[in-house]
Amino acid sequence: MNLLLIKEFLENSKSAQMLRFGFVAGWTSIFELLAFYLILLTNIHYQIAVVISFTFGTTLRYIYSRKFAFKSKSKKVATQFTAFFSISVFDLLINIFFMYVFVEIVL
C-alpha cells in the first residue's frame, strides 16, 4: 500500500477519527482513574473524589478529543465544552451510583 494512501486515511477517514477518539478516551480514562486514587490518598470521601476526578478526566477528554481526535477548528469552544460536559454528567451519575452500590452495599 502506498504511504500517501495510508497518510490520507489516517488524516481524513471517519474510521481513523473513531480510532483516535478511542485512543483519547482510553488514555484520559487512565488519567481519571489515577486522579481518583491520588485524591483518595488525601482521605477525601470517595464520592467527592469521583466528582473531582470526573471533572479532571472530562476536561482532558474534551481538550484531546477536540485537538487530536476530531481536529476541530471551531471557535465555539465554550458552547462545545458545555454540551460535551452536560452529556458526560450522565456518566458521572452512573459512576456515583455504582460506587455507592459497591462501596456501601456490596462491601
Side-chain angles (χ1 to χ4, degrees):
M1 200 184 237
N2 187 337
L3 288 177
L4 239 43
L5 290 174
I6 294 172
K7 182 179 178 189
E8 179 72 22
F9 170 79
L10 292 175
E11 289 178 353
N12 299 320
S13 81
K14 291 291 181 187
S15 297
Q17 188 178 57
M18 295 313 297
L19 286 171
R20 289 192 306 265
F21 178 74
F23 176 77
V24 166
W27 189 245
T28 56
S29 293
I30 291 170
F31 279 109
E32 185 175 339
L33 188 60
L34 179 62
F36 175 71
Y37 284 119
L38 291 174
I39 294 166
L40 283 180
L41 292 176
T42 65
N43 292 322
I44 290 178
H45 192 270
Y46 72 90
Q47 289 180 331
I48 296 171
V50 166
V51 173
I52 294 169
S53 63
F54 162 82
T55 304
F56 172 73
T58 300
T59 303
L60 275 181
R61 197 167 296 113
Y62 172 75
I63 291 168
Y64 288 115
S65 291
R66 181 175 161 76
K67 299 284 186 194
F68 178 67
F70 300 110
K71 299 178 182 178
S72 175
K73 304 217 185 319
S74 173
K75 302 290 184 201
K76 299 178 181 180
V77 175
T79 304
Q80 288 178 343
F81 180 74
T82 301
F84 187 87
F85 197 82
S86 297
I87 293 168
S88 297
V89 167
F90 182 70
D91 179 40
L92 173 63
L93 295 175
I94 292 171
N95 285 344
I96 290 172
F97 171 76
F98 280 108
M99 287 295 286
Y100 174 78
V101 167
F102 287 109
V103 172
E104 302 294 337
I105 297 172
V106 175
L107 298 176

